[in-house]
Amino acid sequence: MIAVLVIDMQNAFFEDPALKQRREEVVAACNSLTSGAREAGAKVLLIGTEHERDKSTWSLNMLDDDQGFIFRGSEQAEFVPGLLTTDFPQMVKTRDSAFMGTDLWMRLRNWEVDTVVLAGVSAHNCIAQTAADAFAHNIRVIYAAGAIATENAEAAEAVLRILTREYRQRVLPLEEVLALL
């Protein structure tokens, strides 16, 4: 069974100029992917990052800088306009990996998922960390090219090269991913 995980398609991440210019393109690709998954009977999970203002969920760099980000209930935490969200389950995370401190593994196990398709932002952070942890849970990973964006292309290329080579994860064009569903 395949599940599509759409990660961090939230207003906060698209404040970055590099991501802002690709927002419409990535939203359209994610919508195509989730619509295709729905039609094929594959599972879809929308995953977003949210933090508490009291610092209890902050990562080390946030604590070091005394600077919070994406607070629960804020406009920054909302999914970007145009992203299809109706009837898709949602999950909140506080770390780069969607597995860390969440019930993602249980959800995937309950759905009998053995492969995840990753989409969203950012390729070198949250997508890469989630992919590495998927490997640790013996879940295969496919990156939906065109439905993934990053604000650091050099870092994304380097980390994806390692993950695809060492963990045998695949980067596929959206059309090929849709055909697999």
Side-chain angles (χ1 to χ4, degrees), residues 33-116:
L33 183 59
T34 58
S35 294
R38 177 180 280 158
E39 289 172 20
K43 302 297 185 184
V44 173
L45 181 61
L46 304 178
I47 302 169
T49 299
E50 290 184 11
H51 289 284
E52 299 295 334
R53 293 183 186 278
D54 71 355
K55 302 183 183 183
S56 62
T57 62
W58 292 17
S59 60
L60 281 177
N61 56 343
M62 294 167 72
L63 291 167
D64 287 349
D65 298 343
D66 197 31
Q67 181 83 31
F69 186 58
I70 313 179
F71 297 117
R72 181 172 48 93
S74 69
E75 187 177 330
Q76 280 189 324
E78 293 174 12
F79 288 112
V80 293
L83 184 70
L84 298 177
T85 60
T86 305
D87 297 328
F88 290 129
Q90 299 179 14
M91 188 186 82
V92 174
K93 65 182 180 67
T94 61
R95 292 296 181 268
D96 287 351
S97 172
F99 285 93
M100 179 70 180
T102 71
D103 64 354
L104 179 58
W105 170 235
M106 180 188 70
R107 291 179 191 228
L108 296 176
R109 190 183 66 222
N110 287 346
W111 288 339
E112 299 179 357
V113 168
D114 59 5
T115 302
V116 292

